[in-house]
Amino acid sequence: MAKKLTQKQKEKLFQQHKNANFQASMALDGYQVEAVTLSAEEALARLEQVRAEYER
């Protein structure tokens, strides 16, 4: 019997499918898009960099 997924697992699975669908859609349009994978810390650091640049 299969176990039910937790909410966090469901969100991760949804995000993986969303990324795969986006890449496939872009490929149909002739574009090659690489998936960007960042940890939570890396994403927060990147947000701070972008904010610092645009909130001068």
Side-chain angles (χ1 to χ4, degrees):
M1 182 177 201
K3 294 182 181 180
K4 290 187 176 183
L5 296 176
T6 65
Q7 187 64 28
K8 190 172 185 176
Q9 289 171 324
K10 288 178 188 178
E11 289 171 4
K12 185 174 181 178
L13 183 63
F14 173 79
Q15 196 64 29
Q16 289 171 343
H17 284 263
K18 182 178 171 185
N19 287 339
N21 288 341
F22 175 75
Q23 287 177 320
S25 176
M26 294 302 287
L28 288 173
D29 291 337
Y31 299 103
Q32 182 70 24
V33 179
E34 295 297 321
V36 176
T37 54
L38 298 175
S39 68
E41 295 83 21
E42 292 170 331
L44 289 173
R46 180 67 181 130
L47 283 172
E48 288 301 318
Q49 289 174 346
V50 172
R51 283 185 182 133
E53 185 171 328
Y54 289 101
E55 293 180 350
R56 293 181 189 182

